[in-house]
DNA sequence: GGAGGTATGTTCAATCTTTTTACTTACCCT
DNA sequence: AGGGTAAGTAAAAAGATTGAACATACCTCC
């Protein structure tokens, strides 16, 4: 995604009008049921301006009027809601385990989702399979008559921040792939905005963007699967993902936790991934690629060797969380990825370490909100869909 | 500083005008010698709008007209420059070693600076001493007739992101100090904007904000002194500092590099600061508080014990840099703080490790720009002054 | 050396968006 | 039922940018 939002830019009257309409739309999206008067107060605009903007957004089908609210002494306000019937967002993810496609509404409600298990394959073959899955989702009756706003695709590797290019996905065996271009040849008719993002960054964005109450000012998503990735998103009402110059931001799997430790596939020693990751657990416990790692370990969890390995991996995960806490200080942390299904044996040591040490510096007793997603199959795909919406609202509205 | 820039806000016509004037001012600041026509092209505004804005900024004394530029076929453009004669920015820093105050112009040129060595003392006593130093700087003839835009103060500890409150400065022995309020009682007559920031974040901001050529899209400042801190600033033409929910972002001294390692003063084990920091080197090599650490070690650098300690500290610093690279992926890294004066014995191992491993993930050979500031005495103070300017331009222009 | 060409910068009426002001609508309380 | 209060709308007024014409200034070419 290429939101150039906080570039220090100038603007004309048309820009101002779009800015105000975006602000209205964002407010109603974030706080369903707001009235025109509420918006005017919060946005520091006059009733007339808001009235005009709302009228346009109603006519264009972005908003719908809802129920009449309780009066607070005078004429009661009319609730405004997103029009959840008119549009559809598509999100997709290529992961090590398979392909995911999700179709959802503006408010993030899932209309239809599909998931197929598939071993990593060449980019072109994968694009073909993904295109087929997307076609199946589009043809679902729930999507009937809806206008497609676009497609977001999430991949497990660093993406160039300025163009849709995947630099490297070691777990897929891909390198320098222009995946959207490939996909476009398979789906020439699919309209709307297309964008590509890293899996953890997309997930982080979606977890924050679709929230409607108690919106944290920043959110860190940690994705613990075959590899370890993360995404940080922050910036108030207009969330911005930190990408870094080469899209490398958040590649925490290769931060060093144990100088002089085991060799990592990246060539360095002691990377976090050598301690906690799907591939490290497979290597340590001798689980073959043909087996499902999590199922196998859940089955073998009585073995002392397995318990110890998970405990050590958990402690490393806790250390990683603490390091991120001290580097980024997010308002909320969400933990996802296939390894969360391992449950207590992995997570308890992680959370214990994080809980015990997160307040060392400030001496407060407040715990950082930390949520664990048990099944994050569609989290990244959903986040990619969220990015489509954010892009659309920002650009047009 | 409280720049609410990328809050998703609405705006009226007056807001638009201010936005455009800010954009003009920022452009000329960043690219001295631009003409009105250049600005119009870059900002996507018409010549008329730019002409009007420039006229206002000239009248208000922010800009001055310069030389007539070479013609490119037609009428030559008139160069525009910041008016560096009219205003003054004040920056100050309270560090473990003493107090620093700097007065500089809009373009960051130093008008006068003062530095006194002083052991950490109570907040009130320190505020009194700093106030006196500020008075001396203000009275310097170089500042004659200049309008003061404000004062920025940098402190070595996490600052609340929403209000000028220092949470904790272990190396000063301070806790929950409203330092600006204290200072205000000593300097009731000093006008302009006042703001408080963490030392490393202020330094990072200043290093990016006062740059006029080859402006990196993001910059990481690592401050290696008694403690280890960092600041990351990014966001194109309008730099934004990552602060975190509790102002804890960048407190990398307490990221864990050696699980189960030495105890840190924070209570945890294996923090980066136990491996590389002024206090860790003092403890490891038995240097007393009354001695200057760097001078002592430079004197003793022949001792094998010292060489080994510096080498190990350097390797830890390199690891820290690599972890930050994989977490934030900054376009440029600047290394400052009192320990940089230790030179090669510390820095060579650090740079070697960072250089050898920074390209593990992408497989490129490009080296990340990394600059070392030999004498960073005034870097943080200067950065705090830069924050004053940014705040002023953003708010008023 | 003068005419033509080209790009910069200014002026002023036209256009567009927000605000201001007045008004209508709709509910609550007495 | 009537006064009070707040939401929402309509039309005129205010304010900012644009568009087009114009003045300015240098370069090139004849």
């Amino acid at each position: 995604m290429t939101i150039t939002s906080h570039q220090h830019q100038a603007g004309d009257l048309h820009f101002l009008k779009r800015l105000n309409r975006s602000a209205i739309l964002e407010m109603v999206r974030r706080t369903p049921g707001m009235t025109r008067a509420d918006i005017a107060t919060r946005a520091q605009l006059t009733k007339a301006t808001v009235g005009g903007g709302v009228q346009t957004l109603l006519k264009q089908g972005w908003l719908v009027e809802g129920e009449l609210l309780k009066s607070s002494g005078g004429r009661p306000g009319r609730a405004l809601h997103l029009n959840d019937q008119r549009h559809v967002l598509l999100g997709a993810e290529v992961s090590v385990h398979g392909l995911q496609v999700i179709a959802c509404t503006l408010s993030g409600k899932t209309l239809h989702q599909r998931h197929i298990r598939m071993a990593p394959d060449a980019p072109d073959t994968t694009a073909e399979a993904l295109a087929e899955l997307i076609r199946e989702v589009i043809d679902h009756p729930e999507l009937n008559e809806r206008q497609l706003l676009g497609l977001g695709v999430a991949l497990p590797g660093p993406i160039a921040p300025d163009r849709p290019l995947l630099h490297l996905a070691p777990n897929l065996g891909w390198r320098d792939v222009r995946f959207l271009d490939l996909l476009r040849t398979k789906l020439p008719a699919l309209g709307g905005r297309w964008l590509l993002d890293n899996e953890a960054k997309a997930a982080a964005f979606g977890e924050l963007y679709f929230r409607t109450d108690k919106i944290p000012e920043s959110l860190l998503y940690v994705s613990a699967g075959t590899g370890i990735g993360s995404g940080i998103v922050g910036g108030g009402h207009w969330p911005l993902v930190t990408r870094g110059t080469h899209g490398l931001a958040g590649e925490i799997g290769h931060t060093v936790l144990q100088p002089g430790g085991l060799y990592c596939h990246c060539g360095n020693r002691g990377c976090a991934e050598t301690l906690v990751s799907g591939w490290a657990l497979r290597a340590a416990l001798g689980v073959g690629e043909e087996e499902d790692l999590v199922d196998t370990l859940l089955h073998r969890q009585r073995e002392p060797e397995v318990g110890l390995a998970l405990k050590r991996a958990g402690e490393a995960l806790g250390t990683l969380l603490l390091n991120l806490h001290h580097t980024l200080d997010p308002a909320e942390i969400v933990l996802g990825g296939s390894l969360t299904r391992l449950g207590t044996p992995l997570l308890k040591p992680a959370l214990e370490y994080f809980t015990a040490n997160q307040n060392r510096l400030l001496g407060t007793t407040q715990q950082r909100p930390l949520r664990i997603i048990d099944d994050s199959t569609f989290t990244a795909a959903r986040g990619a869909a969220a990015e489509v919406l954010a892009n659309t609202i920002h650009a047009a509205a």
Side-chain angles (χ1 to χ4, degrees), chain A:
Chain A
M1 40 189 305
T2 37
I3 288 187
T4 53
S5 147
H6 63 328
Q7 287 272 343
H8 194 62
Q9 68 175 13
D12 57 7
L13 289 167
H14 196 248
F15 162 83
L16 184 63
K17 190 172 188 177
R18 266 194 352 223
L19 185 76
N20 288 344
R21 278 212 304 264
S22 300
I24 294 171
L25 194 47
E26 274 294 319
M27 277 191 196
V28 175
R29 200 180 68 75
R30 256 12 214 296
T31 315
M34 279 186 106
T35 66
R36 293 167 176 79
D38 293 339
I39 297 170
T41 309
R42 288 255 296 263
Q44 303 251 61
L45 294 172
T46 59
K47 292 184 294 179
T49 309
V50 174
V54 167
Q55 212 154 36
T56 310
L57 290 168
L58 286 169
K59 199 175 300 171
Q60 292 181 342
W62 287 100
L63 297 180
V64 285
E65 288 191 315
E67 70 285 7
L68 221 51
L69 296 176
K70 286 277 174 291
S71 161
S72 55
R75 172 178 172 177
R78 177 70 70 178
L80 295 169
H81 296 275
L82 275 189
N83 185 350
D84 235 21
Q85 308 300 317
R86 195 184 173 85
H87 300 105
V88 58
L89 305 162
L90 281 179
E93 183 194 5
V94 178
S95 69
V96 183
H97 306 294
L99 307 177
Q100 287 79 239
V101 175
I102 192 170
C104 60
T105 67
L106 297 192
S107 65
K109 207 183 74 186
T110 302
L111 292 169
H112 186 50
Q113 60 188 29
R114 286 291 311 275
H115 161 52
I116 58 171
R117 300 187 74 82
M118 178 179 142
D121 205 336
D124 192 73
T125 319
T126 308
E128 183 56 55
L130 184 61
E132 181 54 32
L133 200 61
I134 289 172
R135 276 185 222 107
E136 291 179 26
V137 169
I138 290 175
D139 288 340
H140 194 271
E142 277 282 3
L143 274 69
N144 249 349
E145 304 287 318
R146 285 175 184 267
Q147 186 195 339
L148 174 65
L149 291 180
L151 166 70
V153 179
L155 297 178
I159 311 285
D162 51 343
R163 57 192 193 283
L165 165 69
L166 171 77
H167 282 308
L168 184 75
N171 298 320
L172 295 178
W174 294 7
R175 179 174 204 92
D176 292 328
V177 178
R178 298 183 175 277
F179 192 69
L180 287 191
D181 291 347
L182 274 180
L183 201 59
R184 180 87 68 178
T185 63
K186 323 281 183 190
L187 289 166
L190 196 72
R193 294 161 193 283
W194 287 35
L195 50 87
L196 191 70
D197 201 358
N198 169 269
E199 159 260 334
K201 293 187 182 70
F205 188 88
E207 288 302 304
L208 183 60
Y209 195 66
F210 278 142
R211 191 81 65 93
T212 53
D213 62 327
K214 292 183 196 148
I215 301 162
E217 69 169 8
S218 58
L219 186 147
L220 172 72
Y221 182 88
V222 174
S223 164
T226 303
I228 303 281
S230 75
I232 176 90
V233 53
H237 292 288
W238 193 263
L240 276 173
V241 179
T242 300
R243 304 182 176 286
T245 326
H246 299 90
L248 226 53
E251 291 293 332
I252 55 169
H254 301 278
T255 56
V256 175
L257 283 188
Q258 199 174 54
L262 294 175
Y263 276 97
C264 177
H265 62 76
C266 76
N268 199 0
R269 302 177 69 173
C271 292
E273 281 197 6
T274 64
L275 299 166
V276 48
S277 69
W279 67 260
L281 286 172
R282 280 185 195 276
L285 297 169
V287 180
E289 291 291 337
E290 70 289 353
E291 298 177 75
D292 181 288
L293 174 69
V294 174
D295 290 344
T296 304
L297 292 190
L298 286 176
H299 201 73
R300 286 174 55 187
Q301 64 180 299
R302 290 278 155 70
E303 297 175 25
E305 189 195 14
V306 172
L308 185 62
L310 290 181
K311 178 161 177 284
R312 289 207 176 136
E315 286 166 356
L317 182 57
T319 309
L320 206 46
L321 291 176
L322 185 70
N323 286 357
L324 287 165
H325 167 63
H326 282 148
T327 308
L328 299 167
D329 188 15
E332 184 172 326
I333 299 178
V334 176
L335 186 55
S338 56
L339 295 190
T340 59
R341 264 179 59 222
L342 287 169
T344 312
L346 177 78
L347 299 177
K348 193 172 168 223
L351 297 185
E352 276 179 357
Y353 184 85
F354 183 61
T355 303
N357 292 295
Q358 68 175 276
N359 282 318
R360 297 279 186 197
L361 278 189
L362 295 184
T364 55
T365 54
Q366 221 177 9
Q367 291 294 313
R368 192 64 30 111
L370 195 154
R371 186 158 50 88
I372 292 162
I373 304 187
D374 300 309
D375 181 1
S376 49
T377 310
F378 289 97
T379 307
R382 208 172 108 96
E387 293 190 323
V388 171
L389 177 57
N391 247 308
T392 308
I393 291 182
H394 180 262

